[in-house]
Amino acid sequence: MNRTIIAAMLASATFALAPAAHAAGDAAKGKAVFAQCAACHKADASGKSTIGPNLWKVVGRPAGSLAGFNYSPAMKGAKRAWTEANLDAYLAAPAKAVPGNRMPFAGLKDATARANVIAYLKTLK
């Protein structure tokens, strides 16, 4: 085979494996990052919310659906479940992912930090 083709194949294989390895995240590191979220969000089985909704069992939950929390009309009408992909997009840029939502957070730009937070959120069952 031509060296250029082999190099291209190896580059493709490495690229293809990278997202899957990255997507797993590290829940312990995510819990540390979540500390900044805890200023507004509880993450416990109490079901009680503070400034933001309680994030216990958030992964898989429909957006804007936690009973007793006063969501923005934008979040109530978001019509999505909090899948890992939707959480990633929302955590990256909340105002872009759900225009008109009330969360005053610019976003978590670091993809690894987001993957870690999502891994942590997945432990909240």
Side-chain angles (χ1 to χ4, degrees), residues 7-35:
M9 289 172 61
L10 289 173
S12 297
T14 303
F15 178 74
L17 293 176
H22 165 61
D26 181 315
K29 289 179 181 176
K31 184 175 183 179
V33 175
F34 185 82

Side-chain angles (χ1 to χ4, degrees), residues 1 8 25 29 58 67 76 80 86-87 108 119 121:
M1 273 192 183
K29 289 179 181 176
V58 70
K76 287 179 189 174
R80 70 186 71 195
N86 286 338
L87 282 166
L108 188 56
L121 292 174

